Amino acid sequence: MDRSTEPRAWITGGALVGRDELLSSVVERVGAHRLVTLTGAGGVGKTRLAVEVADTIGSRFRDGLWFVDLAAIVDAAAVPDAIASALGVIPQADTPIARTLISSLSRQHVLLVLDNCEHVLHVTAELVEQLLERADGPRILATSREPLHARGEHAMPVSPLAMDDAASPAVALFVERATSVRPNFSLDDHPATSAAVLEICRRLDGLPLGIELAAARMAGMSVTDVRDRLDDRFRLLEGTGGAPRRQQSLAELVRWSYDLLDDTERDVLMRAAVFVGAFDLDTFVGVYGDADDTPVLRAFDRLVRSSLVVAQHGAGQVRYSLLETIRQFGVDELVATDRLARSRDQHARWMAAAVVRQWTIHDGPGWTGAVSWLRAGLPELRAAFRWSADRDLVTAVDIAAHAGLIGTSANLFEPVAWAESLVDAAIAADLPRLPRLLCACGYACFVGRPVTAAAHAEHAMRLEHDPSYESCEPGLAAFIAALANVYAGRLDRYVELATIADAHGGASRAFARPALVDGLQSSGRVDEALDLVDSAVAAAREVANPFWLAYALWIAGMTLAQVDAAPALSAWEQGLAVVEEHGVEFFRGFMARDAARLHTATGEPDAALVEFDLAIEAFHRAGNVAQLIITLASLPNLFAQLDDGAGALTLHAALTKIPAAVEHVPDLAELGPRLSTKLGPAAATVAATGRAMDLDDAALYARARIDELQHRRTKVTRRPGGLSERELEVLHLIADGLTTSRIAERLFISPKTADRHIQNIYTKIGTSTRATATRWAQDNGLLATSEGVPGHGS
């Protein structure tokens, strides 16, 4: 029996790309199982893989291999006839063709490849079961959108190609096919080529058919031409040649699958196209108001089995999503039936109502669930906001205001920008929820717009007592206004507004009391702040919102650090436990940064380097511009202490051009002249390098410098008497006869901190005078050389 070569007549030439591991696995399964079905979405490469498997192992079958394409069959009853015809089995009078086919194959050792079984599943499964039951020789490799559900079947899903980077299989396939139509094509053609190809592959979901069709356009188009036209992909990506029509364009490929669905399944698939991310059944029926979710659930079950919808299992629920190609097809169908605008309106209104519901529960034990919901639902909220912004202001305001209020606590600042874009229109329309929108705008203080943020939040305060408006909870507007004002450098106004917020009492003290404590200690009123620390933490615990509790513990640590490092570090340790348990990532950077500053002051530079690195990474990743500035502005002092004058002056120059850096870290300005003096003629060049940096550049530079310093500081320092590295430095300077003020100047610390180090040294070594401390250092061999004492300069 000769092998059929029919599939090679229309399958695009070229090597099978990115499937080596899967190919080996399928070959192994075909050797172990008599029926293997490759399943997956249309265009994912099931047929090509099946052909490659057949070519790889065909010689093992003494009676050959046969390829049967069932795609053209309209009547399922004709499946046995089609297979028999392909294999040359002659019908026998009065004998069903299926029986004749089975009899003919009963003694044949063949590999039978049945391609595109999805529209004739039941008949094909029945025939395959009979064939395998009555004939020992044949093995069957099938391809289908979903399994045959036949006895003994071993289903193997075929996923889209990986598309992680320019070295991924999806990009490799694009390049391989592109060079077949333009031999000189290369990813190095232009600096933008590689990124454009990767974007094309991602927007085509890694589907080989789509990638091949896109690559074929390279004969007369550039990659940017194709990338910029992918929103019209179904017209752009049409192939030519002898392929079946459904394999010549993405539109026909998806249409083929779509036409196999019943009316309910088609309707559900179309309506699902308005979702840009993953969604659950409750969300779908909520958007569309389906009274009975059972038919919808059945439809999704079929759509998943047909590889038109992806099911994600986890956390006790199933979430659904569509490949972008399928989603675009569904959108086109909604447009064709004049249902797109209505469906998107329904989607936007439901998302608005849903985020309002989450806002009502987030300020308490429900914070974790609300934040998790927002993180998962952000793509849907974004799409709903953009759709409604120009057509339904009430809906858009509800989305932007409440997503901004919740999202800020989750390091999601994008909705704050949505809120800001609607302010003028919302004020003009005098919407009832205007105060909530203004409060969300107040959080723009975290992304570098503190002055306008303060104005918006104080506007919200003025509307708070007007019954015609729906405001946030009492005191929140004043609290947000206080934050914005302190970021704008108005410390007195910060204390004033925090006091107003705190006066509301009750649950508002969970956020207002910590803010007041912070304002007092920042103003030098440390004793007053210390008196309120315990009540601030207690108020946050009572509300049981982990975000406010982490906030209170952070502020407690800052205040306690004014008098004693140990309780401050303990408070931050408790705060980090809350961060870890509840995912309050917002405060991870705050606590790490302030621990770094404390370690810097107490002579633990290694610990300070670790904490500064964590803080910079956290704030940079979150886009918290205000806190990133403060963190970077705090770092030159540590670099100077570690004798890294170049690193210190580079960052100093980068940060001093930002007003907020000097406002929040006053010592920064004083550091510059000393660093310039120390570096001498090189200072001008170093400073110029820093001034050329933007904030992102400075963050990357700082982390690289930290890493370099950590590698250099691998030498273990001997620490007699349990002295810290900083205390050993101070002891050397005491022995050199330096006064407390000179020690402070040499080590870039305050005289108060220098005196604290001196007193700690006296306590640890059991002495009370400089002379006896010097003798102790001599007796312990510490004064012979300054080598090995990190940071000790001449």
Side-chain angles (χ1 to χ4, degrees), residues 351-635:
M351 292 307 301
V355 74
V356 171
R357 286 194 298 271
Q358 294 298 325
W359 179 79
T360 62
I361 66 169
H362 92 285
D363 191 12
W367 180 87
T368 303
V371 164
S372 296
W373 181 90
L374 186 70
R375 286 192 179 116
L378 189 62
E380 301 304 326
L381 289 166
R382 182 186 298 116
F385 169 76
R386 289 175 177 168
W387 173 255
S388 58
D390 296 326
R391 58 186 282 123
D392 185 351
L393 184 60
V394 172
T395 295
V397 164
D398 273 354
I399 292 171
H402 299 93
L405 289 166
I406 301 172
T408 295
S409 65
N411 275 334
L412 298 173
F413 300 109
E414 181 185 348
V416 173
W418 304 346
E420 290 178 299
S421 72
L422 298 178
V423 166
D424 291 342
I427 291 174
D430 200 26
L431 297 183
R433 285 177 172 164
L434 175 60
R436 298 184 187 178
L437 184 76
L438 291 167
C439 280
C441 293
Y443 280 135
C445 61
F446 291 117
V447 290
R449 296 185 289 277
V451 176
T452 55
H456 289 317
E458 294 196 39
H459 187 177
M461 287 178 65
R462 294 192 293 273
L463 302 178
E464 203 165 32
H465 302 294
D466 187 333
S468 62
Y469 293 103
E470 297 179 50
S471 296
C472 296
E473 59 265 45
L476 187 64
F479 166 74
I480 296 173
L483 291 180
N485 273 280
V486 77
Y487 280 117
R490 304 163 184 163
L491 184 56
D492 290 344
R493 184 63 173 154
Y494 177 37
V495 176
E496 179 186 351
L497 289 167
T499 302
I500 292 172
D502 187 64
H504 283 275
S508 65
R509 285 195 169 159
F511 49 80
R513 181 60 58 90
L516 179 56
V517 171
D518 182 35
L520 291 172
Q521 66 92 16
S522 299
S523 303
R525 298 158 64 180
V526 177
D527 290 340
E528 293 176 69
L530 288 169
D531 288 341
L532 296 177
V533 164
D534 289 343
S535 63
V537 175
R541 289 193 190 280
E542 186 174 350
V543 169
N545 181 335
F547 181 79
W548 295 134
L549 180 55
Y551 175 52
L553 289 166
W554 167 54
I555 297 296
M558 279 205 300
T559 307
L560 294 167
Q562 299 276 5
V563 292
D564 194 348
L569 293 171
S570 176
W572 290 329
E573 185 177 348
Q574 294 176 56
L576 286 172
V578 175
V579 168
E580 294 292 342
E581 181 179 356
H582 299 282
V584 192
E585 291 299 318
F586 186 92
F587 287 109
R588 187 184 297 278
F590 287 83
M591 295 184 199
R593 190 266 320 285
D594 290 324
R597 291 165 120 180
L598 184 57
H599 287 308
T600 300
T602 57
E604 296 292 343
D606 292 317
L609 287 170
V610 171
E611 297 293 353
F612 267 125
D613 189 53
L614 291 172
I616 294 168
E617 194 274 335
F619 290 135
H620 199 204
R621 183 182 66 245
N624 193 332
V625 174
Q627 290 300 327
L628 180 60
I629 290 170
I630 295 171
T631 303
L632 292 172
S634 303
L635 193 53

